[in-house]
Amino acid sequence: MIPFVGEISALITAFLWSGTSIVFSYAAIRIGSMQLNINRLILATIFLFSTVMIFGLDYGLSSSQIMFLSISGIIGLVIGDSFLFQAYVHIGPRLGILLLSSSPALSAVLAYFFLGEGLNIIAVLGIIITMMGIGLVILQREEKPTSKYKISRMGIFYGFMGALGQAGGLIFAKFAFTEGPINGFVATFFRIFAATILMIPIGLAARKFTNPIKVYANEKKALLSTVIGTIIGPFLGITFSLIAIAHTKVGIASTLMSTMPIIMLPLVKVVYKEELSWQSIVGALIAVTGIALLFLRG
């Protein structure tokens, strides 16, 4: 067993998701968030099924494990990610990811109500500090002129709903892992397959999903972004996040995965040439500090 495999997997997840937010932001603007969401789910299902078959991974799960993973996928990938993609369109990847970093704190609140896990004074303090850090960034009165995104109430709402969906999905995934060991790629396949089955008819009914071949015929760059984002996001990112949860404490894994705001700052400066205010940097640091306090409370 590789030392600190859970912690290393969590850090890898943070880097992968940070990169995913940038490439998916471009594709979402070009082809629409729902079209992108369904396209990447279909691609991820194909990639994961091929991986499971080629490497002969054990997919013999119990019916309850499959049920929990399916519910987890619907809450996290259908509901949560749909809101998150809308947040990317409205307020951009940096603020979208920063709002997503509140997911561990929301997970603690949900665990209190649905799993009976109590919150001590340190946990409450961690939640408050986390929200203060996020608020410091999203309540900036003016954006830098180099930023192509503007802060909006709807964008902030979408971001928090995305974080809530991620939190709910994590709790149901944990239910499946507590029953017995599951390969990360297998767990990710069941989550994404369930989400795909539900998203396709929803997209068709809403008339926001059309033949991907026709869509990408005139959007070659969006196709490249979708493929890259799918590989580093649903395929590798989600898998590494589940591996992290399986091999280390959920609190430690969640804290390390929540370093995305810190990783995003240099990324957006390089990719978008965006000038970052000290308020953004301090706010991100405070948010992650609060999350660390929340989950490293012992």
Side-chain angles (χ1 to χ4, degrees):
M1 179 66 68
I2 302 175
F4 303 109
V5 63
E7 291 80 358
I8 294 173
S9 296
L11 285 174
I12 292 175
T13 300
F15 278 94
L16 291 172
W17 282 350
S18 296
T20 298
S21 67
I22 292 179
V23 293
F24 274 163
S25 294
Y26 174 83
I29 293 173
R30 302 292 296 182
I31 66 176
S33 61
M34 183 170 287
Q35 180 76 44
L36 170 63
N37 198 2
I38 298 175
N39 290 350
R40 59 115 191 197
L41 289 175
I42 294 174
L43 281 175
T45 299
I46 295 172
F47 293 158
L48 288 163
F49 180 79
S50 300
T51 300
V52 172
M53 292 296 102
I54 292 174
F55 292 97
L57 303 179
D58 182 14
Y59 54 87
L61 309 184
S62 69
S63 58
S64 57
Q65 284 179 311
I66 294 176
M67 179 189 69
F68 286 135
L69 289 172
S70 297
I71 295 174
S72 172
I74 292 172
I75 294 177
L77 301 175
V78 176
I79 299 175
D81 281 1
S82 292
F83 279 113
L84 183 60
F85 286 153
Q86 282 295 323
Y88 287 162
V89 172
H90 282 75
I91 58 178
R94 176 169 61 88
L95 294 183
I97 283 293
L98 187 62
L99 290 171
L100 184 63
S101 71
S102 67
S103 180
L106 295 173
S107 296
V109 175
L110 291 177
Y112 172 77
F113 287 105
F114 294 101
L115 301 177
E117 296 181 0
L119 294 173
N120 57 28
I121 186 63
I122 298 179
V124 174
L125 183 60
I127 291 177
I128 293 175
I129 292 176
T130 300
M131 296 308 172
M132 286 176 58
I134 293 173
L136 185 62
V137 175
I138 65 177
L139 295 179
Q140 294 182 93
R141 292 191 175 275
E142 62 179 21
E143 284 283 281
K144 294 292 183 179
T146 54
S147 176
K148 61 184 295 187
Y149 298 103
K150 302 299 179 183
I151 296 176
S152 68
R153 292 181 179 178
M154 287 307 298
I156 294 172
F157 170 76
Y158 289 142
F160 272 116
M161 289 302 294
L164 185 60
Q166 295 292 329
L170 180 63
I171 288 180
F172 278 97
K174 189 63 178 179
F175 282 148
F177 279 99
T178 55
E179 287 195 23
I182 310 173
N183 179 273
F185 286 104
V186 173
T188 305
F189 169 77
F190 280 107
R191 292 188 75 218
I192 289 183
F193 180 72
T196 304
I197 293 299
L198 184 60
M199 279 298 296
I200 291 178
I202 292 177
L204 291 173
R207 296 184 178 181
K208 292 187 177 182
F209 174 66
T210 58
N211 188 335
I213 297 177
K214 293 182 179 180
V215 171
Y216 289 123
N218 299 318
E219 292 290 350
K220 299 296 191 304
K221 292 184 178 180
L223 172 60
L224 179 62
S225 296
T226 302
V227 172
I228 294 175
T230 299
I231 293 173
I232 63 179
F235 181 65
L236 293 176
I238 294 178
T239 299
F240 274 110
S241 72
L242 296 179
I243 293 174
I245 292 173
H247 289 86
T248 190
K249 295 181 179 179
V250 174
I252 295 175
S254 299
T255 301
L256 293 173
M257 286 187 283
S258 295
T259 57
M260 288 183 294
I262 305 301
I263 298 171
M264 283 300 299
L265 293 177
L267 283 178
V268 295
K269 184 173 181 61
V270 172
V271 176
Y272 296 122
K273 309 300 182 184
E274 181 178 337
E275 292 297 328
L276 303 176
S277 67
W278 281 107
Q279 185 172 339
S280 296
I281 298 173
V282 172
L285 290 172
I286 291 175
V288 174
T289 299
I291 293 171
L293 178 63
L294 175 63
F295 286 100
L296 297 180
R297 63 190 184 277

